Amino acid sequence: MSISLEDVSFLLKIPVTGKVVEVDNFARYTEESRSDAIKMVSNLLGVSAEEAEEEVNITKGLTVRKHWLKSRWCPKAQGSIPRNYPPVECTARAYLLYLLSCTLFADKSGSRVSIALLKLLEDLEDVGNYAWGAAALAYLYRHLGSATRVLVSQIAGYLTLLEVCFKID
């Protein structure tokens, strides 16, 4: 048996119909995509362009570190002194980005977040209109397919969904 959209809708209670979750703008690392990513991190998360560039440079790709998100927007969890907080919209985007990267779109590194997801969080009022369930299932199936290759030893995606569906059967 395979996991269906009905399973995703029933188990996760997130929309499986709606706007398409499309993140191919940052599929390839180029100087232009790097520059766009830095601008997006700066504008949507309310950090300086320098801080955004430093974070993108540290990850050497179109990602930011989960640790950076957590320490930047939740300093009490890290035991550090609170900073000047950016606007609430920026904090909400940072939280949603962290949440998506830990659940529906977990990657193999376990420590990075794709900046491509941030584009989907630009309009916070529109976030609920996306078909997150369908995207999560497609993401999981894509990584299940790549995990069957000979040289691949890890898997990504929302593996809890996989576990629950096969426990039910």
Side-chain angles (χ1 to χ4, degrees):
M1 183 182 150
S2 62
I3 306 165
S4 69
L5 284 174
E6 185 179 344
D7 295 329
V8 174
S9 177
F10 177 76
L11 293 169
L12 302 181
K13 305 292 188 229
I14 57 176
V16 294
T17 59
K19 289 178 70 173
V20 175
V21 175
E22 195 172 7
V23 293
D24 60 356
N25 296 351
F26 293 104
R28 297 194 179 186
Y29 184 85
T30 63
E31 193 54 42
E32 183 180 352
S33 65
R34 179 184 171 280
S35 175
D36 290 345
I38 291 167
K39 286 177 194 168
M40 188 182 306
V41 169
S42 177
N43 293 337
L44 297 181
L45 295 181
V47 297
S48 68
E50 293 78 22
E51 185 178 0
E53 183 173 11
E54 180 183 342
E55 183 58 29
V56 170
N57 287 341
I58 288 171
T59 62
K60 296 181 174 72
L62 301 174
T63 59
V64 294
R65 295 169 298 156
K66 287 181 187 177
H67 173 75
W68 177 72
L69 282 174
K70 190 172 182 179
S71 64
R72 180 69 170 82
W73 280 274
C74 188
K76 286 185 179 179
Q78 302 298 319
S80 62
I81 299 168
R83 300 181 186 193
N84 293 333
Y85 288 106
V88 70
E89 294 86 5
C90 297
T91 304
R93 282 188 199 99
Y95 173 75
L96 289 171
L97 186 62
Y98 185 84
L99 184 67
L100 288 171
S101 71
C102 290
T103 56
L104 302 180
F105 304 107
D107 73 349
K108 293 178 188 178
S109 76
S111 63
R112 292 184 308 236
V113 182
S114 172
I115 294 171
L117 291 172
L118 189 54
K119 179 70 175 160
L120 300 169
L121 305 174
E122 186 171 8
D123 181 4
L124 290 174
E125 291 184 15
D126 203 29
V127 169
N129 296 326
Y130 285 105
W132 294 110
L137 185 60
Y139 186 79
L140 177 61
Y141 273 136
R142 179 174 182 223
H143 287 282
L144 282 171
S146 65
T148 62
R149 296 187 185 133
V150 174
L151 299 175
V152 176
S153 61
Q154 294 178 320
I155 190 169
Y158 192 42
L159 299 179
T160 305
L161 181 62
L162 187 64
E163 293 172 20
V164 169
C165 284
F166 286 103
K167 273 189 176 179
I168 292 173
D169 290 340

